[in-house]
Amino acid sequence: MSAFAKWLTQACQEAGLTAEQYGTRVRILAQCHFLTEEVECRPDTDGNLRFWWSWGKPIADRHDHTRLLTADEVDDLVVAIRHVVTIPVRRRP
């Protein structure tokens, strides 16, 4: 699981995100450092390795939310994570 976390950390860094590995967890900081997300690699109830959002849901494909991503679908995981940590912040008028 730590190897998958390392792989995801490196892929996030290559995609321009600041990512740090802590065992089976990966902390990703947006470029503005306003948004942070921590994902964890662990098995689901069927024993399949998945990355999980900090709010306890497995990461799904951005275009098909019914399809859960496996731990080795790193490119799709990075896209989903980037989508979460780069949400534009609304400023009050």
Side-chain angles (χ1 to χ4, degrees):
M1 290 181 281
S2 292
F4 282 105
K6 181 177 183 176
W7 188 15
L8 180 61
T9 301
Q10 292 171 339
C12 286
Q13 291 169 345
E14 289 171 9
L17 298 169
T18 302
E20 303 166 345
Q21 180 184 359
Y22 299 93
T24 61
R25 295 179 185 265
V26 179
R27 180 175 297 147
I28 304 99
L29 301 132
Q31 291 176 347
C32 66
H33 296 282
F34 181 75
L35 295 172
T36 301
E37 179 55 40
E38 192 167 295
V39 298
E40 180 181 14
C41 184
R42 60 183 167 88
D44 63 13
T45 56
D46 294 325
N48 300 310
L49 282 182
R50 305 224 184 263
F51 275 95
W52 298 75
W53 294 113
S54 59
W55 56 88
K57 298 289 181 184
I59 299 177
D61 184 271
R62 260 185 22 102
H63 303 290
D64 179 3
H65 295 287
T66 62
R67 190 177 80 77
L68 301 178
L69 298 174
T70 60
D72 62 350
E73 293 180 273
V74 173
D75 292 337
D76 292 329
L77 287 162
V78 170
V79 169
I81 291 167
R82 178 187 293 280
H83 182 72
V84 168
V85 299
T86 60
I87 295 172
V89 178
R90 290 187 184 186
R91 299 188 186 238
R92 294 183 179 193

